[in-house]
Amino acid sequence: MSYLYVCEQGATIGITENRFQVKYKDGMVKSIPAETLEVIEVFGKVQITTQCMTECLKRGVNIIFYSTNGAYFGRLISTNHVNVQRQRVQARLTEDAQFRLGFSKRIINAKIRNQIVVLRRYARNQESDIQRAVIEMQNMYKKLEAAQGIEQVMGYEGTAAKIYFRELGRLIDPEFAFTGRNRRPPRDPFNSLISLGYSIILNELYGKLEAKGLNPYFGIMHSDREKHPTLASDLMEEWRAVLIDSTALSMLNGHELLREDFYYGTDQPGVFLEKDAFKKYVQKLETKFRTESRYLTYVDYSVSFRRAMDLQISQFIRAIEEHDPTQYTPVMIR
């Protein structure tokens, strides 16, 4: 299946003869067979014809709207996949303290382990000593089993995250050095990249959850927030380091992006990607999502990261339908 990203300001998306078409201001036309398209993601001032939107609703193709800098606005979705009974089960489990605790432990255990793998990978490239940091993070996930509540689990997660980002700051090219996580707005290039990446993957999970009849707003681990898809946030945790942080590090340390590819906003404070760099980063993420690997313990074949997200949600459905968080096998890379 195809994902269509449209970043060119002034472009128009339409449909002709069973193909979605993007017409750019310079006259160039790009087209994709309608039966292969799964999601359209538009950034900024992009026009979409009524015929295109109608066809997307008929086919269940999500259209996701962002600002030019990647701030999420909303989405156009079909209601064909609503599963009321599944959502009733899901809603009941948001009040089940034991299920929520067991599920949260599994997610955060995987998240911390994945962060350690990313640190080791980049430290090896630079012959940097991160052993003490790794031991400190391992202590955090070892403490999870004895946690008595989600607040404790999130406390261990927060401590591990501080150590993780501290070490990442030492592994990144000094030209892009950062001192920790910041957002709204991001104040340095690395935070700019991961903020955009997190937004993209959060909304991809949002669409996948709805496609399987789940409610993205009925979270298990994170506290509910108005207008925030909490369940998508829950399931995103194990993907942050695997997909987004590693891609950002790779592009900055590999000099695929340079300092001049970022600018400091005036009307909107913060650090953002220039137009061509923005397209390059989104294309790099898309390539990453399509990369296949044999890392899932519960299937004996290679799958892309995007396919793994679908399987992850299927695991979650099995867990809620059986009221058993151990049925959920989180994603852990090696």
Short mmCIF file of all heavy atoms in Angstrom, two decimals, residues 95 101 116 158 266 326:
data_model
loop_
_atom_site.label_atom_id
_atom_site.label_comp_id
_atom_site.label_asym_id
_atom_site.label_seq_id
_atom_site.Cartn_x
_atom_site.Cartn_y
_atom_site.Cartn_z
N GLU A 95 -10.83 1.36 33.04
CA GLU A 95 -11.11 1.45 34.48
C GLU A 95 -10.55 0.25 35.24
O GLU A 95 -10.74 0.15 36.45
CB GLU A 95 -12.63 1.53 34.71
CG GLU A 95 -13.32 2.68 33.97
CD GLU A 95 -12.78 4.03 34.38
OE1 GLU A 95 -12.45 4.20 35.58
OE2 GLU A 95 -12.68 4.92 33.52
N LEU A 101 -2.04 -1.54 34.59
CA LEU A 101 -0.69 -1.64 35.15
C LEU A 101 0.13 -2.67 34.39
O LEU A 101 1.29 -2.41 34.01
CB LEU A 101 -0.76 -1.99 36.64
CG LEU A 101 0.59 -2.16 37.36
CD1 LEU A 101 1.40 -0.87 37.29
CD2 LEU A 101 0.35 -2.59 38.81
N ILE A 116 18.09 1.58 24.85
CA ILE A 116 19.44 1.07 25.11
C ILE A 116 20.08 0.55 23.82
O ILE A 116 21.27 0.79 23.56
CB ILE A 116 19.40 -0.04 26.19
CG1 ILE A 116 19.07 0.56 27.55
CG2 ILE A 116 20.73 -0.80 26.24
CD1 ILE A 116 18.81 -0.47 28.65
N GLY A 158 10.40 8.08 33.08
CA GLY A 158 10.93 9.43 33.02
C GLY A 158 12.41 9.48 33.37
O GLY A 158 13.18 10.21 32.72
N THR A 266 10.25 33.30 13.23
CA THR A 266 10.02 34.63 13.80
C THR A 266 8.56 34.78 14.20
O THR A 266 8.24 35.04 15.36
CB THR A 266 10.41 35.72 12.78
OG1 THR A 266 9.76 35.45 11.52
CG2 THR A 266 11.91 35.75 12.57
N THR A 326 -0.80 -9.90 29.20
CA THR A 326 0.33 -10.72 28.76
C THR A 326 0.16 -11.21 27.32
O THR A 326 1.11 -11.73 26.74
CB THR A 326 0.55 -11.93 29.70
OG1 THR A 326 -0.58 -12.80 29.60
CG2 THR A 326 0.73 -11.48 31.14
#
